[in-house]
Amino acid sequence: MEKITFWVISIVISAICSNSQAQSLTATIVDSATQKPIPYVTVKLINKGVITNEEGRFSFLLNKEIKETDSLFISCIGYATLGKPIKEFTETTISLTPMAIELNPVIVTNKNYTPEEILEIVEDSILKNYNLGFAKKRVFLRETYNNRILKTDYTLKKSTIKAFNKKFIDDLISQIPKNNTVYNEALGDLYGAGDSEEQKLNLIKASELYDKSMELDFEILEEKFNKIMQENVKTDSYFKIKSGLFGTKVDADEMFESEVDSTDVAALNKKLADEKKNKEERKKFFAKYKRETMGKLYENLPVYESSDYNVLFKPGRYNLALEDFTYLGDAAVYVITFKPKRSEDYQGKLYINSDDFALIRMDFENVKPLRDFGLLGVSMKEYLAAGKIIFSKGKDKKYHLSYYDISKGIKAGFRRPLKIIEKNKNVKGRRKQNELSLKVDFDFGNINRYELVVFDETTISNSQYNSFKENNTILPTYMPNYNPDFWKGYDIIEPNQAIRDFISDTEIIE
């Protein structure tokens, strides 16, 4: 009988772990009243935390140090905190109960604070509440790039190469993908403080998820273009590329990549050496880009005076309103809205702990284009910058960044004449050989989303920071389809449904 009981308990414990082989607790957190998923909920276990994605999903890695009696705590603004031993989480859906707002003695005592006075105390308490010095942070960055071609109008004015006719250009434009989405993910340890230029990164693993068939179209078009050029253009020619007032020069040999003779050992060895060098350069560039992206997000946290979200340090530039009281667990929270009086860029909400006056969350969105440039037919508008920043209290009793989410939207246009002229100084007579002249009217747009999750942060000394040396040898692993096993054994923010459903046409083509 005891053996049977033990066997039943083992099955229950295994059921707790989503796909028991992954040894993780995976669930969706919902509102008990509406049954709708709750995004950005903090889930903590033994001072380690994860956060739910926008669909309320989370996955928590259960390592060998975790016991079934250890308690998991789930907290979110406006809901009662849920805490109980892991063994009691046997369902894949977890309900949180909305908390009724009743003014406790702290709120009653502080209720006469104006929003301006609250923010003044927040600013004065920053050094007490936050670690702004050097730290080592385990971070996960997910970048989503959605690129769109909005408009592709043109007028063919002249072409002395018959193959470059309207049909060819229409065919070229029709094959260019109008909408393409790329997902990049990276996990690593970030060393540094608030300065984006003083960050160091130890990359652990990275992936890229996109449809390579989008690239194949460009390769085919490039082959067609090169074939036409090689048949009609002299190799010692050069090109003048003009767009109204602008012009540049390109040699013909720069436009064609010559094939390496497979019997030429020296040439093959040089090509292999070049490819190896390029791969090393790619590794350096990839690590540098990730480090700079993470560093710039950290540098722009609202607890730094140089932040674009400067409401804590320059509250006089905003219209402030104490909109509401709510709770994060048992902690009462002020909810303050801010809107610019004149020229500031952002509006949003601040959630401030009424006990220690720490900013625990900020929601923000731009109220006007952050950049709006137009000159001689070239335009660029950064029309969107919106997201949220969430801080959580760590085991050192200070607040640390736990989640940073920002979406940026940009539209660009090119409305100009474009002229490509082939010239050759070695041909007798006129240097001008061929000409392709168009008037183009193209519009492009993209929305880029950056999600930075911090799972663990440890304060380090200046000497520890200085002694760490980067040695990044990681390049992202390409995935044509979403692979749920790629991040097995690592804590990340759960992918949304769009990522989980991603299937490219690459394998069909191949």
Side-chain angles (χ1 to χ4, degrees):
M1 183 66 181
E2 290 181 358
K3 288 184 178 180
I4 294 175
T5 304
F6 178 78
W7 179 73
V8 172
I9 292 173
S10 298
I11 290 178
V12 172
I13 293 174
S14 296
I16 294 172
C17 301
S18 171
N19 303 325
S20 58
Q21 53 186 292
Q23 292 300 302
S24 62
L25 170 63
T26 299
T28 300
I29 299 177
V30 301
D31 185 301
S32 62
T34 66
Q35 292 301 300
K36 291 183 177 179
I38 308 174
Y40 317 119
V41 177
T42 299
V43 182
K44 282 194 172 183
L45 178 64
I46 316 180
N47 290 319
K48 185 179 180 182
V50 297
I51 195 164
T52 64
N53 66 7
E54 65 263 41
E55 298 165 347
R57 285 174 51 87
F58 78 91
S59 184
F60 208 117
L61 186 64
L62 303 177
N63 59 39
K64 60 184 180 181
E65 298 176 358
I66 296 173
K67 305 179 183 66
E68 63 180 67
T69 54
D70 289 334
S71 290
L72 191 75
F73 291 93
I74 301 173
S75 59
C76 183
I77 291 174
Y79 291 87
T81 294
L82 177 63
K84 58 184 181 180
I86 296 175
K87 65 181 179 180
E88 296 184 22
F89 288 95
T90 58
E91 304 294 332
T92 56
T93 300
I94 300 171
S95 297
L96 288 189
T97 304
M99 179 176 282
I101 304 300
E102 297 178 3
L103 298 185
N104 66 13
V106 174
I107 290 294
V108 172
T109 303
N110 295 345
K111 67 179 181 179
N112 291 325
Y113 280 131
T114 66
E116 290 78 8
E117 290 171 332
I118 293 172
L119 294 196
E120 183 178 353
I121 300 174
V122 172
E123 182 188 354
D124 291 340
S125 305
I126 283 177
L127 291 179
K128 178 189 73 175
N129 285 326
Y130 302 89
N131 171 37
L132 304 185
F134 288 113
K136 174 187 176 183
K137 302 166 280 281
R138 172 60 58 90
V139 293
F140 176 79
L141 176 67
R142 175 178 292 140
E143 299 165 273
T144 303
Y145 299 97
N146 179 249
N147 306 305
R148 296 164 294 152
I149 296 179
L150 306 173
K151 187 178 182 180
T152 54
D153 292 343
Y154 76 94
T155 301
L156 179 60
K157 303 180 76 173
K158 183 178 181 179
S159 176
T160 60
I161 299 177
K162 290 183 179 181
F164 282 154
N165 51 33
K166 188 175 187 303
K167 182 179 182 304
F168 173 83
I169 297 174
D170 286 343
D171 183 53
L172 184 149
I173 290 175
S174 70
Q175 293 184 56
I176 296 175
K178 300 299 186 290
N179 197 326
N180 185 29
T181 301
V182 177
Y183 301 99
N184 288 332
E185 297 178 335
L187 181 75
D189 292 322
L190 187 67
Y191 296 73
D195 190 339
S196 64
E197 296 182 0
E198 292 186 358
Q199 302 293 327
K200 298 179 181 180
L201 177 63
N202 175 38
L203 278 172
I204 297 171
K205 199 173 185 181
S207 69
E208 52 185 359
L209 174 65
Y210 65 94
D211 190 343
K212 269 192 175 179
S213 67
M214 300 295 183
E215 288 188 335
L216 294 176
D217 286 341
F218 286 109
E219 291 175 2
I220 292 170
L221 291 173
E222 186 179 9
E223 288 177 6
K224 290 181 180 179
F225 181 82
N226 283 344
K227 184 178 179 182
I228 293 171
M229 293 292 283
Q230 288 170 340
E231 290 174 351
N232 293 274
V233 172
K234 298 174 177 61
T235 56
D236 57 349
S237 291
Y238 63 95
F239 295 89
K240 284 286 187 179
I241 302 175
K242 297 182 178 180
S243 178
L245 300 177
F246 304 102
T248 187
K249 177 183 174 181
V250 180
D251 290 328
D253 56 2
E254 295 178 21
M255 302 187 70
F256 310 120
E257 182 178 353
S258 59
E259 296 292 330
V260 175
D261 185 351
S262 60
T263 62
D264 189 337
V265 177
L268 282 173
N269 288 338
K270 183 179 184 304
K271 184 178 181 181
L272 290 173
D274 289 342
E275 288 177 351
K276 183 178 179 181
K277 181 180 178 182
N278 290 339
K279 187 174 182 179
E280 293 304 314
E281 290 300 318
R282 282 182 60 212
K283 289 177 182 178
K284 291 179 183 178
F285 174 81
F286 180 74
K288 180 175 182 290
Y289 171 74
K290 295 300 177 185
R291 180 178 64 245
E292 290 179 350
T293 300
M294 296 175 186
K296 286 176 181 177
L297 291 174
Y298 253 97
E299 185 178 62
N300 212 24
L301 293 178
V303 295
Y304 292 110
E305 193 167 357
S306 60
S307 171
D308 293 335
Y309 323 119
N310 58 5
V311 61
L312 296 183
F313 297 92
K314 298 179 180 177
R317 298 184 179 184
Y318 295 87
N319 290 315
L320 305 173
L322 184 55
E323 181 183 84
D324 199 3
F325 298 111
T326 187
Y327 282 87
L328 176 60
D330 295 329
V333 176
Y334 295 111
V335 183
I336 297 176
T337 60
F338 63 96
K339 295 182 179 180
K341 291 179 178 178
R342 290 177 292 275
S343 60
E344 299 304 312
D345 296 324
Y346 294 94
Q347 66 180 11
K349 287 184 180 181
L350 306 171
Y351 297 81
I352 296 165
N353 190 316
S354 67
D355 181 33
D356 54 20
F357 290 89
L359 173 66
I360 58 176
R361 173 169 169 169
M362 179 173 117
D363 298 343
F364 61 91
E365 61 180 353
N366 60 307
V367 295
K368 61 183 180 181
L370 300 183
R371 288 184 288 173
D372 194 352
F373 168 84
L375 179 66
L376 302 175
V378 179
S379 63
M380 194 279 290
K381 177 184 288 188
E382 187 176 349
Y383 66 92
L384 172 68
K388 58 188 55 61
I389 299 169
I390 300 174
F391 297 93
S392 296
K393 185 176 282 190
K395 53 189 175 184
D396 60 356
K397 306 303 180 184
K398 287 183 177 281
Y399 289 87
H400 306 271
L401 175 68
S402 62
Y403 182 65
Y404 194 143
D405 176 22
I406 183 169
S407 294
K408 295 185 177 183
I410 296 175
K411 291 180 180 177
F414 186 84
R415 297 171 180 83
R416 294 202 57 77
L418 179 63
K419 189 178 291 186
I420 303 175
I421 302 170
E422 179 196 358
K423 292 189 175 183
N424 193 303
K425 60 185 177 182
N426 298 320
V427 177
K428 292 183 180 180
R430 294 180 61 192
R431 289 191 174 185
K432 182 176 176 181
Q433 303 296 301
N434 286 295
E435 179 179 335
L436 176 65
S437 179
L438 308 112
K439 186 175 182 180
V440 298
D441 186 0
F442 290 175
D443 284 336
F444 312 90
N446 61 58
I447 296 179
N448 302 334
R449 183 182 182 188
Y450 306 85
E451 292 180 275
L452 181 67
V453 189
V454 184
F455 296 105
D456 189 31
E457 180 169 341
T458 306
T459 300
I460 59 175
S461 64
N462 286 15
S463 60
Q464 288 175 305
Y465 167 79
N466 291 328
S467 63
F468 173 73
K469 304 297 180 185
E470 287 187 340
N471 184 27
N472 290 304
T473 59
I474 300 294
L475 281 175
T477 299
Y478 169 68
M479 295 189 295
N481 307 320
Y482 170 64
N483 179 4
D485 294 326
F486 182 80
W487 290 107
K488 180 181 176 182
Y490 297 95
D491 283 322
I492 65 169
I493 187 170
E494 277 290 284
N496 59 26
Q497 194 64 46
I499 297 176
R500 294 200 301 272
D501 291 344
F502 189 93
I503 299 176
S504 72
D505 293 330
T506 303
E507 292 185 341
I508 297 174
I509 291 173
E510 294 174 348

